[in-house]
């Protein structure tokens, strides 16, 4: 009821005046006390406290969202069950071929406006509760988002039901320091586990896919275009690394184009003319470079000879090399290939083997120092081998594309492999700016503390991690013709 001004002063809510019900007086007093406490607490909070409070709220909301998404998947399953029963009665008098999946997908898409493809993926998860029981349980507890769960569903379609529980548990496991796995870590785990678990079937599909290699392009908006080349993984990696090396040489030589622009221009120049043309003014028709047309004489600027040749690096554990395991093998920075594909790459003419000694138990690369600020070349290679990727939380940039940083800044900290870490340029800038506080901890870990007061720990790369994943066990004794045997030389 609205307040009516009678011209008399309102009674004090805290003095127990006879004009108000005692219960109302008590409730008002409690509300006032809570407001006073909240105001006092707000006045005493620091910016770090506020950041931690807001970050914790975001975490709680993400968990609640995941639980709600779990209920959404359960609802999809319930609707599918109802539609299936209805369809069973309806199809007794109708010869029209239609499935419960189709009916439920149409119902949901029309009612919610969610895209048909997304609805189909959710239904695939909803209607396979036994196959994806780990995903469903993690969704109900808020431990995984629907987005990640659906990606697992899509990537594991070709796998048998028996391998999925262990595989999904591995993919959804926390990061080594116990924190939530970053998106990049989740993605690389998923790719690696799928390649390991389905190595023999994937190898058959790869051989079939080679017949479908192609190149095509299309025009897009604003007078631009894109082209796609479908080729074996090692060739794609070689092309990408080659053009990146050329772009970096050009930048170091004073070219003012960005690395992205240079990669595009150089790749097109090489594909069109076989050489990098003279001039650094820009791409074809941009006032420099090849603006004069195809008739003008082309000359190489030296970029081709100055840049390092293309290299495809692949990590092949000894067990995989000799055929004792079918674990997936890593093309660092690019992804994973099957064991059979890795053996084919390493035995191809011209391949160079380099030994990487690692601890069998931990998978870590197996000390060097200098009195100078700059580390020696041997130290750089050592640190990159130990780290594998950027040592910042969640970052998966390959170590050979990272800066080498002193954990404790020089000269307070020595130039020593134990005081060195690989950091991508973005993560390096954040550490230098003081956004992250970094220190060494036990077990070769590096602890990172954020402005919000959160702590994360990263560890050296486990180069044998794939051997511990589902599907990495020994293959059947009946290896296909041409497969390596235990008598083959080790990958030194």
């Amino acid at each position: 009821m609205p307040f009516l001004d009678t011209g008399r002063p309102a009674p004090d809510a805290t003095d127990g005046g006879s004009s108000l019900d005692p219960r109302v007086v008590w409730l008002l007093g409690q509300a006032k006390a809570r407001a006073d406490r909240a105001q006092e607490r707000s006045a005493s909070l620091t910016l770090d406290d506020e950041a931690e409070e807001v970050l914790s709220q975001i975490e709680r909301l993400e968990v609640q969202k995941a639980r709600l998404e779990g209920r959404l998947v359960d609802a999809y399953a319930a609707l599918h069950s109802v539609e299936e029963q209805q369809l069973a009665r309806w199809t007794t008098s109708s010869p029209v071929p239609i499935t419960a999946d189709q009916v439920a997908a149409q119902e949901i898409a029309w009612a919610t406006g969610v895209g048909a493809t997304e609805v189909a993926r959710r239904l695939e998860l909803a209607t396979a509760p036994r196959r994806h029981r780990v995903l469903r349980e993690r969704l109900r507890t808020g431990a995984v988002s629907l987005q990640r769960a659906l990606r697992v569903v899509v990537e594991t379609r070709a796998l048998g039901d028996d391998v999925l529980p262990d595989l999904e548990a591995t993919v959804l496991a926390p990061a080594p320091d116990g924190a939530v796995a970053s998106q990049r870590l989740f993605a690389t785990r998923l790719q690696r586990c799928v390649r390991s678990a389905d190595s023999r079937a994937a190898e058959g599909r790869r051989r079939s896919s080679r017949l479908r290699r192609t190149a095509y392009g299309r025009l897009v908006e604003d007078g631009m275009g894109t082209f796609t080349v479908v080729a074996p993984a090692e060739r794609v990696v070689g092309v990408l690394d080659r053009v990146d090396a050329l772009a970096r040489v050009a930048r170091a030589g004073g070219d003012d184009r960005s690395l992205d622009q240079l990669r595009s221009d150089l790749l097109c120049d090489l594909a069109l003319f076989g050489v990098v043309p003279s001039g650094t003014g820009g791409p074809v028709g941009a006032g420099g470079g090849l603006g004069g047309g195809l008739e003008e004489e082309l000359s190489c600027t030296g970029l081709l000879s100055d840049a390092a040749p293309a290299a495809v690096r692949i990590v092949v554990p000894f067990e995989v090399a000799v055929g004792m395991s079918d674990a997936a093998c890593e093309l660092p920075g690019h992804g994973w290939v099957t064991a059979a594909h890795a053996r084919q790459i390493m035995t191809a003419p011209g391949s160079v083997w380099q030994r990487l000694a690692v601890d069998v138990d931990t998978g870590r690369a197996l000390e060097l120092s200098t009195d100078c600020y700059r580390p020696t070349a041997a130290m750089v290679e050592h640190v990159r081998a130990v780290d594998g990727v950027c040592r910042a939380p969640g970052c998966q940039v390959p170590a050979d594309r990272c800066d080498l940083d002193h954990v404790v800044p020089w000269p307070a900290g020595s130039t020593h492999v134990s005081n060195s870490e690989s950091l991508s340029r973005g993560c390096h800038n954040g550490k230098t700016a003081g956004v992250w506080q970094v220190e060494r901890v036990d077990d070769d870990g590096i602890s990172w503390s954020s402005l919000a007061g959160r702590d994360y720990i990263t560890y050296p790369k486990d180069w044998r991690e794939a051997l511990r994943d589902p599907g990495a066990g020994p293959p059947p004794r009946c290896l296909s013709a041409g497969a390596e045997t235990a008598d083959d030389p080790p990958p030194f």
Side-chain angles (χ1 to χ4, degrees):
M1 181 175 97
F3 174 72
L4 299 178
D5 187 357
T6 61
R8 295 176 296 178
D12 187 348
T14 61
D15 65 2
S18 59
S19 300
L20 290 177
D21 183 279
R23 179 170 175 78
V24 174
V25 173
W26 182 83
L27 290 173
L28 291 174
Q30 290 293 312
K32 185 175 184 299
R34 285 196 299 270
D36 291 342
R37 287 196 299 271
Q39 186 174 4
E40 292 174 2
R41 181 170 175 272
S42 176
S44 63
L45 284 178
T46 65
L47 285 176
D48 290 348
D49 294 331
E50 290 186 13
E52 166 62 25
E53 183 175 338
V54 175
L55 190 56
S56 296
Q57 181 184 22
I58 292 173
E59 286 180 321
R60 292 193 299 270
L61 291 173
E62 287 290 347
V63 171
Q64 294 172 14
K65 173 174 171 284
R67 289 174 177 169
L68 186 60
E69 289 171 336
R71 293 175 55 190
L72 177 65
V73 172
D74 291 340
Y76 270 58
L79 177 63
H80 183 274
S81 179
V82 173
E83 298 283 11
E84 196 170 33
Q85 296 176 53
Q86 292 177 325
L87 194 59
R89 295 197 305 267
W90 180 74
T91 53
T92 57
S93 59
S94 174
V96 178
I98 190 169
T99 66
D101 289 352
Q102 293 172 309
V103 175
Q106 289 177 340
E107 290 272 20
I108 296 171
W110 293 342
T112 63
V114 177
T117 301
E118 177 68 9
V119 171
R121 292 194 304 158
R122 295 178 182 180
L123 276 172
E124 186 176 353
L125 173 60
T127 56
R130 292 180 62 83
R131 174 177 171 83
H132 295 295
R133 56 184 179 273
V134 173
L135 288 180
R136 296 288 292 275
E137 180 59 30
R138 298 292 179 90
L139 270 173
R140 292 190 183 100
T141 60
V144 64
S145 67
L146 180 58
Q147 178 190 28
R148 289 193 177 183
L150 294 181
R151 182 163 180 182
V152 173
V153 169
V154 172
E155 296 291 336
T156 58
R157 281 173 179 158
L159 302 183
D161 293 356
D162 57 326
V163 304
L164 283 188
D166 288 340
L167 183 148
E168 291 176 350
T170 299
V171 170
L172 301 178
D177 66 343
V180 177
S182 68
Q183 181 65 20
R184 285 186 175 182
L185 179 57
F186 161 78
T188 193
R189 276 179 177 172
L190 178 58
Q191 187 184 50
R192 181 183 66 245
C193 288
V194 170
R195 296 295 185 277
S196 295
D198 192 33
S199 59
R200 286 174 290 280
E203 179 61 17
R205 291 195 301 271
R206 182 184 70 84
R207 291 174 179 172
S208 177
S209 296
R210 284 180 60 89
L211 301 176
R212 299 193 297 272
R213 58 189 183 275
T214 183
Y216 57 89
R218 64 185 180 89
L219 301 183
V220 295
E221 65 278 358
D222 301 325
M224 301 298 285
T226 64
F227 61 80
T228 300
V229 176
V230 179
E234 65 272 22
R235 301 198 72 186
V236 171
V237 170
V239 169
L240 292 175
D241 286 350
R242 176 64 163 164
V243 76
D244 181 70
L246 291 173
R248 293 181 185 278
V249 170
R251 282 284 291 178
D255 197 302
D256 59 359
R257 284 172 285 178
S258 69
L259 283 175
D260 282 339
Q261 292 170 340
L262 281 164
R263 293 184 189 107
S264 173
D265 296 344
L266 293 171
L267 188 57
C268 288
D269 290 342
L270 288 171
L272 285 170
F273 311 113
V275 296
V276 176
S278 60
T280 59
V284 177
L290 297 177
L294 300 182
E295 299 81 6
E296 95 175 59
E297 182 178 356
L298 302 175
S299 62
C300 183
T301 63
L303 292 176
L304 290 175
S305 58
D306 293 343
V312 179
R313 292 182 173 85
I314 183 169
V315 181
V316 185
F318 175 82
E319 293 85 342
V320 176
V322 299
M324 295 170 58
S325 171
D326 271 345
C329 295
E330 184 178 8
L331 293 168
H334 297 282
W336 297 77
V337 298
T338 63
H341 193 178
R343 288 189 283 264
Q344 177 183 324
I345 294 173
M346 67 175 285
T347 56
S351 292
V352 177
W353 295 359
Q354 181 178 10
R355 180 175 179 267
L356 175 62
V358 299
D359 186 283
V360 174
D361 295 325
T362 66
R364 297 176 185 175
L366 299 175
E367 181 167 0
L368 303 172
S369 63
T370 178
D371 295 330
C372 303
Y373 171 76
R374 292 188 179 277
T376 66
M379 292 175 61
V380 172
E381 291 299 318
H382 179 90
V383 173
R384 286 175 172 172
V386 170
D387 291 343
V389 296
C390 171
R391 289 297 295 271
C395 187
Q396 296 289 301
V397 174
D400 59 3
R401 300 182 189 173
C402 292
D403 301 335
L404 203 66
D405 174 62
H406 291 78
V407 178
V408 178
W410 191 85
S414 63
T415 302
H416 192 279
V417 292
S418 64
N419 188 43
S420 301
E421 60 183 344
S422 305
L423 292 182
S424 66
R425 182 56 55 87
C427 298
H428 193 175
N429 290 343
K431 174 179 177 289
T432 302
V435 175
W436 296 94
Q437 298 300 314
V438 180
E439 64 178 351
R440 285 277 184 181
V441 295
D442 294 339
D443 200 23
D444 295 325
I446 298 180
S447 174
W448 295 73
S449 299
S450 73
L451 290 179
R454 292 302 177 89
D455 295 323
Y456 305 88
I457 300 177
T458 62
Y459 296 97
K461 182 176 179 64
D462 179 357
W463 291 100
R464 295 172 59 84
E465 183 177 10
L467 297 174
R468 301 183 235 281
D469 283 339
R477 297 300 300 172
C478 52
L479 293 174
S480 58
E484 288 74 17
T485 68
D487 294 330
D488 291 338
F492 292 161

